[in-house]
Amino acid sequence: MTGATTERPRMLDGIMKKPRAWHGPDVADEEFIVPLTPECLAELDGVVAEQRKAPVPTLILVPDHFELSACRRLMQGVKRQLDDGLGFVILDRLPVDRWEQQELIDVYWLLGSLLEPPVAQEWSGKMIYDVRYDGQAYTADTREALTPEGLDMHNDSSMGEAPANYLSLLCLQTAREGGKSSLSSAYAAHNHVLQQHPEVLQRLYEPFYRDKRDYQAANANNWWPVFAVENGGLRIRFNAKIIKRGYEKTGRHLDDAGRAAVDLVNSFLTDPAHRHDFFMERGQIQILNNRTIVHGRTPYVDFDEPEKRRHLVRLWMRAGDRRQFRG
């Protein structure tokens, strides 16, 4: 497979408006912060009580085994916001001082399961991922989420054969300093290219090679376009660093048009005029539509005490196919 195609790909026509295409400074807190209702929290207290009485492993917990009607209604509204609104929400919040860490994760798993089934995040089958720096040395090949370095704007598993539809992060501990989250809208980026640089758009719908990571299947396909039409809407697979490293490490040639297109999108997504930046707080859950929202993070300085270090717990959700991870 090469980075270019001879057939014109199907492309999204027209300009998308808010709420799906947005610019960070124009987004207000009340548009994306979703309070956990007293009824929902009461149901989750019931889950915790049941787990204390007769615990089972998180991975076999399913919503149908508990009374979660209020939570189900809440998460149906969340899904509408993810699919048809801004594309992200903050659930505010789980009672981190009342429940034990494992109880928080159990409840978090059930809430995520009300969106779509949680799926593996590594070829090894890891389902629940701790986003945490343990203080050890790391290299350029270390999975970036496990370092205190900043994260470039990206989708999770942008090189993957079946990326998550939704990504969630539960905040258990915050860093001593830094670690701000950033989000940008793929629809807004697409609008910008279509309006300001239409000659670049087709190249973004053609494949780019991505860096092969050690948590992928060895024979996974790593050629994907940045933009694609999916179910009548847009899907973005973006990580400028992963694209450029893929070509550099394998000796492949990234064509000039492709490099310019990637730089253009990256410049738009990282521009404060288009990003929405915020700090997560303990107990909050950030949920993103991984098809249409890119995210990043500023560097952070952590506490010396291991129990105080920044700690997020990540889930990937995806319905409609296998729960395994290959990409």
Side-chain angles (χ1 to χ4, degrees):
M1 185 180 292
T2 65
T5 62
T6 57
E7 186 176 333
R8 177 179 166 86
R10 182 185 173 203
M11 299 193 294
L12 196 67
D13 296 323
I15 299 300
M16 184 65 67
K17 297 181 179 180
K18 195 177 177 183
R20 301 185 84 178
W22 49 263
H23 302 274
D26 300 329
V27 175
D29 287 356
E30 57 267 22
E31 294 182 81
F32 65 89
I33 295 180
V34 178
L36 286 173
T37 64
E39 295 80 9
C40 181
L41 283 169
E43 291 176 349
L44 297 176
D45 271 323
V47 170
V48 171
E50 185 66 23
Q51 280 289 83
R52 289 175 179 176
K53 201 165 47 172
V56 296
T58 307
L59 297 186
I60 67 170
L61 293 174
V62 293
D64 288 349
H65 293 171
F66 301 93
E67 169 48 49
L68 292 173
S69 56
C71 290
R72 193 178 299 277
R73 289 191 299 272
L74 180 79
M75 296 307 290
Q76 287 170 347
V78 165
K79 193 173 191 303
R80 286 192 295 271
Q81 292 190 54
L82 296 173
D83 292 343
D84 303 319
L86 295 175
F88 70 96
V89 302
I90 298 290
L91 285 183
D92 191 40
R93 71 188 66 191
L94 297 183
V96 289
D97 296 321
R98 192 166 82 232
W99 298 340
E100 299 296 328
Q101 178 172 302
Q102 188 55 55
E103 294 167 347
L104 291 162
I105 293 172
D106 289 346
V107 162
Y108 173 51
W109 171 273
L110 286 168
L111 288 172
S113 299
L114 288 169
L115 281 175
E116 288 189 351
V119 297
Q121 302 182 46
E122 293 183 349
W123 185 65
S124 64
K126 190 178 185 67
M127 302 284 287
I128 300 173
Y129 201 89
D130 291 297
V131 179
R132 189 175 190 183
Y133 174 52
D134 63 6
Q136 302 300 310
Y138 54 89
T139 71
D141 290 319
T142 303
R143 205 166 183 174
E144 290 86 350
L146 303 181
T147 78
E149 303 294 333
L151 299 181
D152 294 341
M153 301 300 280
H154 68 284
N155 307 100
D156 275 15
S157 193
S158 64
M159 79 296 286
E161 293 181 359
N165 291 329
Y166 305 107
L167 151 71
S168 65
L169 292 164
L170 164 63
C171 182
L172 295 177
Q173 296 287 350
T174 59
R176 189 179 75 189
E177 181 181 319
K180 179 180 286 189
S181 296
S182 297
L183 307 176
S184 289
S185 164
Y187 279 107
H190 192 276
N191 286 348
H192 175 72
V193 177
L194 181 60
Q195 291 177 303
Q196 303 298 323
H197 304 274
E199 74 284 355
V200 171
L201 192 61
Q202 180 172 331
R203 180 64 185 95
L204 291 165
Y205 278 88
E206 296 168 351
F208 290 84
Y209 185 71
R210 316 299 176 105
D211 184 27
K212 185 80 71 176
R213 312 312 299 271
D214 60 6
Y215 52 85
Q216 291 185 265
N219 62 346
N221 175 23
N222 276 50
W223 286 93
W224 302 103
V226 169
F227 290 138
V229 176
E230 183 181 273
N231 299 324
L234 184 68
R235 175 153 214 157
I236 188 171
R237 294 171 179 257
F238 190 77
N239 187 324
K241 180 188 292 185
I242 292 297
I243 292 172
K244 292 179 179 179
R245 286 188 68 203
Y247 284 88
E248 292 165 1
K249 287 173 65 174
T250 60
R252 290 178 169 87
H253 172 68
L254 175 57
D255 57 289
D256 291 343
R259 184 177 295 276
V262 168
D263 288 342
L264 174 64
V265 173
N266 194 53
S267 176
F268 180 92
L269 295 172
T270 58
D271 189 333
H274 310 301
R275 290 192 332 250
H276 182 68
D277 300 332
F278 60 96
F279 282 106
M280 286 192 71
E281 299 177 6
R282 294 180 69 227
Q284 289 185 329
I285 300 172
Q286 176 185 160
I287 311 177
L288 313 179
N289 184 328
N290 195 49
R291 301 178 297 261
T292 63
I293 299 296
V294 296
H295 63 283
R297 184 193 71 206
T298 63
Y300 65 87
V301 178
D302 228 335
F303 292 94
D304 294 329
E305 303 91 334
E307 70 278 5
K308 291 184 178 180
R309 287 178 184 156
R310 186 180 189 271
H311 187 185
L312 307 183
V313 180
R314 188 176 68 199
L315 293 178
W316 286 353
M317 284 77 73
R318 186 183 67 242
D321 65 351
R322 64 186 187 271
R323 299 181 75 174
Q324 294 92 339
F325 175 84
R326 279 182 47 79

